[in-house]
Amino acid sequence: MQHVLFVCLGNICRSPMAEAIFNDLVEKRQLTDKFTAISVATSPEEEGNHPHPGALKTMRAHGLDASQHRSRPITAADFEWADTIITMDHSNVANLQRMAPSAADRDKVKLCLDILPGREGDAIDDPWYTHKFELTYQELAAALPAWLDALNQ
Ligand code: 4NP
C-alpha cells in the first residue's frame, strides 16, 4: 500500500480537497488496494475544525463530500507513515523540511504543481485568502491524476 499525505497550512481548504479528489480517483481507477491518502496541517491553528464552507461547497459542486474531515497538525508518525508528501506552496515545503524527523522524510516532500509540465515551481495559492476555491479545485484536479500515474509505476 502506498501512503500519500497531503499537507497545507490549516488543513481546512487545500489539503482536504486534495485528499477527497485523490481518494475518489483511486476508487474510480480501482486502485484502493494500492493507494490511500490522508491530509494534515503544518499549523495547529484549525485543529478539530471541519473544512472551510467554501471548500465544502466547491467539493459538493463536483460530487465530492469532505464534510467528515477534521483538521489536525502533522506528527512524527505521519512522516513515518507517508511514502509521498504532497504540499501546496513553498511555505508548506519549508515548514515540512524544518519539521521532518529525518533526511529520508525530507526527501518525501513534493510541491503539488511540480508534476505538471509548465507549472513547475508554482504554488496552489491559499483560497482562505483568495476565496478562489474553484481555481484550487481545478489545479488539484489537473495535478492529482498525474501524481497517481507517476506513483502507480
Ligand atoms: P489551507 O488554508 O492551508 O488551505 O487549509 C488555510 C486555513 C486556515 C488558515 C490559513 C490557511 N489560518 O490561518 O487559520
Side-chain angles (χ1 to χ4, degrees), residues 27-90:
E27 276 187 31
K28 285 183 171 143
R29 295 191 187 178
Q30 301 184 317
L31 292 170
T32 52
D33 57 336
K34 288 186 74 176
F35 289 93
T36 192
I38 64 168
S39 67
V40 295
T42 58
S43 153
E45 188 83 13
E46 299 285 348
E47 185 162 10
N49 290 343
H50 55 70
H52 188 288
L56 289 175
K57 184 176 169 205
T58 302
M59 297 305 283
R60 267 199 308 275
H62 292 280
L64 295 172
D65 177 19
S67 63
Q68 297 309 305
H69 178 78
R70 296 295 179 269
S71 171
R72 70 171 178 84
I74 193 167
T75 65
D78 293 316
F79 278 104
E80 172 71 19
W81 175 85
D83 297 297
T84 308
I85 301 175
I86 300 178
T87 70
M88 304 300 150
D89 63 32
H90 298 88

Side-chain angles (χ1 to χ4, degrees), residues 7-17 41-43 45-46 52 71 88-89 92 124-129 133 136:
V7 186
C8 62
L9 176 60
N11 190 220
I12 60 167
C13 299
R14 294 164 294 177
S15 64
M17 293 173 74
T42 58
S43 153
E45 188 83 13
E46 299 285 348
H52 188 288
S71 171
M88 304 300 150
D89 63 32
N92 301 152
I124 296 183
D125 288 330
D126 196 334
W128 199 71
Y129 299 106
F133 287 94
T136 305

Side-chain angles (χ1 to χ4, degrees), residues 102-115:
S102 73
D105 292 330
R106 271 195 297 284
D107 288 343
K108 298 174 183 176
V109 179
K110 316 290 181 194
L111 189 64
C112 188
L113 289 180
D114 272 355
I115 197 79

